[in-house]
CSV table of all heavy atoms in Angstrom, one decimal:
chain,number,residue,atom,x,y,z
A,1,ASP,N,0.8,-1.2,0.0
A,1,ASP,CA,0.0,0.0,0.0
A,1,ASP,C,0.9,1.3,0.0
A,1,ASP,O,0.5,2.3,-0.6
A,1,ASP,CB,-0.9,0.0,1.2
A,1,ASP,CG,-1.9,1.2,1.2
A,1,ASP,OD1,-2.7,1.2,0.2
A,1,ASP,OD2,-1.8,2.0,2.1
A,2,ASP,N,2.0,1.3,0.7
A,2,ASP,CA,2.8,2.5,0.7
A,2,ASP,C,3.4,2.7,-0.6
A,2,ASP,O,3.7,3.9,-1.0
A,2,ASP,CB,3.9,2.4,1.8
A,2,ASP,CG,4.8,1.2,1.7
A,2,ASP,OD1,4.4,0.3,0.9
A,2,ASP,OD2,5.8,1.1,2.5
A,3,VAL,N,3.6,1.7,-1.4
A,3,VAL,CA,4.1,1.9,-2.8
A,3,VAL,C,3.0,2.4,-3.7
A,3,VAL,O,3.2,3.3,-4.5
A,3,VAL,CB,4.7,0.5,-3.4
A,3,VAL,CG1,5.0,0.7,-4.9
A,3,VAL,CG2,5.9,0.1,-2.6
A,4,VAL,N,1.8,1.8,-3.5
A,4,VAL,CA,0.7,2.3,-4.3
A,4,VAL,C,0.4,3.7,-4.1
A,4,VAL,O,0.1,4.5,-5.0
A,4,VAL,CB,-0.6,1.4,-3.9
A,4,VAL,CG1,-1.9,2.0,-4.5
A,4,VAL,CG2,-0.4,0.0,-4.4
A,5,GLN,N,0.4,4.2,-2.8
A,5,GLN,CA,0.1,5.6,-2.5
A,5,GLN,C,1.0,6.6,-3.1
A,5,GLN,O,0.7,7.7,-3.3
A,5,GLN,CB,0.1,5.8,-1.0
A,5,GLN,CG,-1.1,5.0,-0.3
A,5,GLN,CD,-2.4,5.2,-1.0
A,5,GLN,OE1,-2.8,6.3,-1.3
A,5,GLN,NE2,-3.1,4.0,-1.3
A,6,ILE,N,2.3,6.1,-3.5
A,6,ILE,CA,3.2,7.0,-4.2
A,6,ILE,C,2.7,7.3,-5.6
A,6,ILE,O,2.9,8.4,-6.1
A,6,ILE,CB,4.6,6.4,-4.3
A,6,ILE,CG1,5.2,6.2,-2.8
A,6,ILE,CG2,5.6,7.2,-5.1
A,6,ILE,CD1,5.4,7.5,-2.1
A,7,TYR,N,2.1,6.3,-6.3
A,7,TYR,CA,1.7,6.5,-7.7
A,7,TYR,C,0.3,6.6,-7.9
A,7,TYR,O,-0.1,6.9,-9.1
A,7,TYR,CB,2.3,5.3,-8.5
A,7,TYR,CG,3.8,4.9,-8.2
A,7,TYR,CD1,4.1,3.7,-7.6
A,7,TYR,CD2,4.7,5.8,-8.5
A,7,TYR,CE1,5.5,3.5,-7.4
A,7,TYR,CE2,6.1,5.6,-8.3
A,7,TYR,CZ,6.5,4.4,-7.7
A,7,TYR,OH,7.8,4.1,-7.5
A,8,THR,N,-0.6,6.4,-6.9
A,8,THR,CA,-2.0,6.4,-7.2
A,8,THR,C,-2.4,7.8,-7.6
A,8,THR,O,-1.8,8.8,-7.1
A,8,THR,CB,-2.8,6.0,-5.9
A,8,THR,OG1,-4.2,5.8,-6.2
A,8,THR,CG2,-2.6,6.9,-4.8
A,9,LEU,N,-3.5,8.0,-8.3
A,9,LEU,CA,-4.0,9.3,-8.7
A,9,LEU,C,-4.9,9.9,-7.7
A,9,LEU,O,-6.1,10.0,-7.8
A,9,LEU,CB,-4.8,9.1,-10.1
A,9,LEU,CG,-4.0,8.5,-11.2
A,9,LEU,CD1,-4.8,8.5,-12.5
A,9,LEU,CD2,-2.7,9.2,-11.5
A,10,GLN,N,-4.2,10.4,-6.6
A,10,GLN,CA,-4.9,10.9,-5.5
A,10,GLN,C,-5.3,12.4,-5.7
A,10,GLN,O,-4.5,13.2,-6.2
A,10,GLN,CB,-4.0,10.9,-4.2
A,10,GLN,CG,-4.6,11.4,-2.9
A,10,GLN,CD,-5.7,10.5,-2.4
A,10,GLN,OE1,-5.6,9.3,-2.5
A,10,GLN,NE2,-6.8,11.1,-2.0
A,11,GLU,N,-6.6,12.7,-5.3
A,11,GLU,CA,-7.0,14.1,-5.6
A,11,GLU,C,-6.2,15.1,-4.8
A,11,GLU,O,-5.7,14.8,-3.7
A,11,GLU,CB,-8.5,14.2,-5.2
A,11,GLU,CG,-8.8,14.1,-3.7
A,11,GLU,CD,-10.3,14.2,-3.5
A,11,GLU,OE1,-11.1,14.2,-4.4
A,11,GLU,OE2,-10.7,14.3,-2.3
A,12,GLY,N,-6.1,16.3,-5.4
A,12,GLY,CA,-5.3,17.3,-4.7
A,12,GLY,C,-3.8,17.3,-5.0
A,12,GLY,O,-3.0,18.1,-4.5
A,13,ARG,N,-3.4,16.3,-5.9
A,13,ARG,CA,-2.0,16.2,-6.3
A,13,ARG,C,-1.9,16.3,-7.8
A,13,ARG,O,-2.8,16.0,-8.5
A,13,ARG,CB,-1.4,14.9,-5.8
A,13,ARG,CG,-1.5,14.7,-4.3
A,13,ARG,CD,-0.6,13.5,-3.8
A,13,ARG,NE,-0.5,12.3,-4.6
A,13,ARG,CZ,-0.3,11.1,-4.1
A,13,ARG,NH1,-0.2,11.0,-2.8
A,13,ARG,NH2,-0.3,10.1,-4.9
A,14,ALA,N,-0.7,16.7,-8.2
A,14,ALA,CA,-0.3,16.6,-9.6
A,14,ALA,C,0.5,15.3,-9.8
A,14,ALA,O,1.6,15.2,-9.4
A,14,ALA,CB,0.5,17.8,-10.1
A,15,CYS,N,-0.2,14.3,-10.3
A,15,CYS,CA,0.4,12.9,-10.3
A,15,CYS,C,1.0,12.5,-11.7
A,15,CYS,O,0.5,12.8,-12.7
A,15,CYS,CB,-0.8,11.9,-10.0
A,15,CYS,SG,-1.6,12.2,-8.4
A,16,PRO,N,2.2,11.9,-11.6
A,16,PRO,CA,2.8,11.4,-12.9
A,16,PRO,C,1.8,10.4,-13.6
A,16,PRO,O,1.2,9.6,-12.9
A,16,PRO,CB,4.0,10.7,-12.4
A,16,PRO,CG,4.4,11.3,-11.0
A,16,PRO,CD,3.0,11.6,-10.5
A,17,ALA,N,1.7,10.6,-14.9
A,17,ALA,CA,0.7,9.8,-15.6
A,17,ALA,C,1.2,9.5,-17.0
A,17,ALA,O,2.0,10.3,-17.6
A,17,ALA,CB,-0.6,10.4,-15.6
A,18,VAL,N,0.7,8.4,-17.6
A,18,VAL,CA,0.8,8.2,-19.0
A,18,VAL,C,-0.6,8.6,-19.6
A,18,VAL,O,-1.6,8.0,-19.2
A,18,VAL,CB,1.1,6.8,-19.4
A,18,VAL,CG1,1.2,6.6,-20.9
A,18,VAL,CG2,2.5,6.4,-18.8
A,19,SER,N,-0.6,9.7,-20.4
A,19,SER,CA,-1.9,10.2,-20.8
A,19,SER,C,-2.1,10.0,-22.3
A,19,SER,O,-1.2,10.2,-23.1
A,19,SER,CB,-1.9,11.8,-20.6
A,19,SER,OG,-1.9,12.0,-19.2
A,20,LEU,N,-3.4,9.5,-22.6
A,20,LEU,CA,-3.8,9.4,-24.0
A,20,LEU,C,-4.8,10.5,-24.2
A,20,LEU,O,-5.8,10.6,-23.6
A,20,LEU,CB,-4.4,8.1,-24.3
A,20,LEU,CG,-5.0,7.9,-25.7
A,20,LEU,CD1,-3.9,7.9,-26.7
A,20,LEU,CD2,-5.9,6.6,-25.7
A,21,TYR,N,-4.5,11.4,-25.2
A,21,TYR,CA,-5.4,12.5,-25.6
A,21,TYR,C,-6.0,12.1,-26.9
A,21,TYR,O,-5.3,11.9,-27.9
A,21,TYR,CB,-4.6,13.8,-25.7
A,21,TYR,CG,-4.2,14.4,-24.3
A,21,TYR,CD1,-2.9,14.2,-23.8
A,21,TYR,CD2,-5.1,15.1,-23.5
A,21,TYR,CE1,-2.5,14.7,-22.6
A,21,TYR,CE2,-4.8,15.6,-22.3
A,21,TYR,CZ,-3.5,15.4,-21.8
A,21,TYR,OH,-3.1,15.8,-20.6
A,22,VAL,N,-7.3,12.0,-26.9
A,22,VAL,CA,-8.1,11.7,-28.1
A,22,VAL,C,-8.9,12.9,-28.5
A,22,VAL,O,-9.7,13.4,-27.7
A,22,VAL,CB,-9.0,10.5,-27.8
A,22,VAL,CG1,-9.8,10.2,-29.1
A,22,VAL,CG2,-8.2,9.3,-27.4
A,23,THR,N,-8.7,13.4,-29.7
A,23,THR,CA,-9.4,14.6,-30.2
A,23,THR,C,-10.5,14.1,-31.1
A,23,THR,O,-10.4,13.3,-32.0
A,23,THR,CB,-8.4,15.4,-31.1
A,23,THR,OG1,-7.3,15.8,-30.2
A,23,THR,CG2,-9.1,16.7,-31.6
A,24,LEU,N,-11.7,14.7,-30.8
A,24,LEU,CA,-13.0,14.3,-31.5
A,24,LEU,C,-13.7,15.5,-32.0
A,24,LEU,O,-13.6,16.6,-31.5
A,24,LEU,CB,-13.9,13.5,-30.5
A,24,LEU,CG,-13.5,12.3,-29.7
A,24,LEU,CD1,-13.0,12.8,-28.4
A,24,LEU,CD2,-14.6,11.3,-29.6
A,25,ASP,N,-14.5,15.3,-33.1
A,25,ASP,CA,-15.4,16.3,-33.6
A,25,ASP,C,-16.6,16.3,-32.6
A,25,ASP,O,-17.2,15.3,-32.3
A,25,ASP,CB,-15.9,15.9,-34.9
A,25,ASP,CG,-16.8,16.9,-35.6
A,25,ASP,OD1,-18.0,17.1,-35.0
A,25,ASP,OD2,-16.4,17.6,-36.5
A,26,GLU,N,-16.8,17.5,-32.0
A,26,GLU,CA,-17.8,17.6,-31.0
A,26,GLU,C,-19.2,17.2,-31.4
A,26,GLU,O,-20.0,16.6,-30.7
A,26,GLU,CB,-17.9,19.0,-30.4
A,26,GLU,CG,-18.7,19.1,-29.1
A,26,GLU,CD,-18.6,20.5,-28.5
A,26,GLU,OE1,-17.8,21.3,-29.0
A,26,GLU,OE2,-19.2,20.7,-27.4
A,27,ALA,N,-19.5,17.4,-32.7
A,27,ALA,CA,-20.9,17.1,-33.2
A,27,ALA,C,-21.0,15.7,-33.6
A,27,ALA,O,-22.0,15.0,-33.2
A,27,ALA,CB,-21.2,18.0,-34.3
A,28,THR,N,-20.1,15.2,-34.4
A,28,THR,CA,-20.2,13.8,-34.9
A,28,THR,C,-19.6,12.8,-34.1
A,28,THR,O,-19.8,11.6,-34.3
A,28,THR,CB,-19.6,13.7,-36.3
A,28,THR,OG1,-18.1,14.0,-36.2
A,28,THR,CG2,-20.2,14.8,-37.3
A,29,LEU,N,-18.7,13.2,-33.2
A,29,LEU,CA,-17.9,12.3,-32.3
A,29,LEU,C,-16.9,11.4,-33.1
A,29,LEU,O,-16.4,10.4,-32.5
A,29,LEU,CB,-18.9,11.4,-31.5
A,29,LEU,CG,-19.8,12.1,-30.5
A,29,LEU,CD1,-20.7,11.1,-29.8
A,29,LEU,CD2,-19.0,12.9,-29.5
A,30,ASP,N,-16.6,11.8,-34.3
A,30,ASP,CA,-15.6,11.1,-35.0
A,30,ASP,C,-14.2,11.4,-34.4
A,30,ASP,O,-14.0,12.6,-34.1
A,30,ASP,CB,-15.6,11.5,-36.5
A,30,ASP,CG,-16.8,11.0,-37.2
A,30,ASP,OD1,-17.4,10.0,-36.8
A,30,ASP,OD2,-17.2,11.6,-38.3
A,31,ILE,N,-13.4,10.4,-34.3
A,31,ILE,CA,-12.0,10.6,-33.7
A,31,ILE,C,-11.1,11.1,-34.8
A,31,ILE,O,-11.0,10.5,-35.9
A,31,ILE,CB,-11.5,9.3,-33.1
A,31,ILE,CG1,-12.4,8.9,-31.9
A,31,ILE,CG2,-10.1,9.4,-32.7
A,31,ILE,CD1,-12.0,7.5,-31.3
A,32,LYS,N,-10.5,12.3,-34.5
A,32,LYS,CA,-9.6,12.9,-35.5
A,32,LYS,C,-8.2,12.5,-35.3
A,32,LYS,O,-7.4,12.2,-36.3
A,32,LYS,CB,-9.7,14.4,-35.4
A,32,LYS,CG,-11.1,15.0,-35.7
A,32,LYS,CD,-11.1,16.5,-35.6
A,32,LYS,CE,-12.4,17.1,-36.1
A,32,LYS,NZ,-12.4,18.6,-36.0
A,33,SER,N,-7.7,12.3,-34.1
A,33,SER,CA,-6.3,12.0,-33.8
A,33,SER,C,-6.2,11.6,-32.3
A,33,SER,O,-7.1,11.7,-31.5
A,33,SER,CB,-5.4,13.2,-34.1
A,33,SER,OG,-5.7,14.3,-33.1
A,34,SER,N,-5.0,11.0,-32.0
A,34,SER,CA,-4.7,10.7,-30.7
A,34,SER,C,-3.2,10.9,-30.4
A,34,SER,O,-2.4,10.9,-31.4
A,34,SER,CB,-5.0,9.2,-30.4
A,34,SER,OG,-4.2,8.4,-31.1
A,35,GLU,N,-2.9,11.2,-29.2
A,35,GLU,CA,-1.5,11.5,-28.8
A,35,GLU,C,-1.2,11.0,-27.4
A,35,GLU,O,-2.1,11.1,-26.5
A,35,GLU,CB,-1.2,13.0,-28.9
A,35,GLU,CG,0.2,13.4,-28.5
A,35,GLU,CD,0.3,15.0,-28.4
A,35,GLU,OE1,-0.7,15.7,-28.6
A,35,GLU,OE2,1.5,15.4,-28.2
A,36,THR,N,0.0,10.5,-27.2
A,36,THR,CA,0.4,10.0,-25.8
A,36,THR,C,1.4,10.9,-25.3
A,36,THR,O,2.4,11.2,-25.9
A,36,THR,CB,0.9,8.5,-25.9
A,36,THR,OG1,-0.1,7.7,-26.4
A,36,THR,CG2,1.3,8.0,-24.6
A,37,ARG,N,1.2,11.3,-24.0
A,37,ARG,CA,2.2,12.2,-23.3
A,37,ARG,C,2.6,11.6,-22.0
A,37,ARG,O,1.7,10.9,-21.3
A,37,ARG,CB,1.6,13.6,-23.1
A,37,ARG,CG,1.2,14.3,-24.4
A,37,ARG,CD,0.6,15.6,-24.1
A,37,ARG,NE,-0.1,16.2,-25.2
A,37,ARG,CZ,-0.9,17.2,-25.1
A,37,ARG,NH1,-1.2,17.7,-23.9
A,37,ARG,NH2,-1.5,17.7,-26.2
A,38,LEU,N,3.8,11.8,-21.6
A,38,LEU,CA,4.2,11.5,-20.2
A,38,LEU,C,4.3,12.9,-19.4
A,38,LEU,O,5.0,13.8,-19.8
A,38,LEU,CB,5.6,10.9,-20.2
A,38,LEU,CG,5.8,9.7,-21.2
A,38,LEU,CD1,7.3,9.2,-21.1
A,38,LEU,CD2,4.8,8.6,-20.8
């Protein structure tokens, strides 16, 4: 648990993450692109 708490996405913190950003057309919901960021 003490290891988990280092990496868990706890509210109130800026947590390290692997993020997938998916860009969509707001009206049609068609996916235009995706990008991964650390």
Side-chain angles (χ1 to χ4, degrees):
D1 187 62
D2 55 350
V3 172
V4 169
Q5 294 312 311
I6 297 295
Y7 309 117
T8 191
L9 302 183
Q10 181 66 43
E11 67 181 11
R13 301 193 319 208
C15 301
V18 178
S19 297
L20 175 67
Y21 288 99
V22 180
T23 301
L24 306 93
D25 183 290
E26 188 172 0
T28 65
L29 298 177
D30 290 336
I31 295 176
K32 297 180 175 180
S33 64
S34 64
E35 179 187 4
T36 298
R37 301 177 193 164
L38 309 180

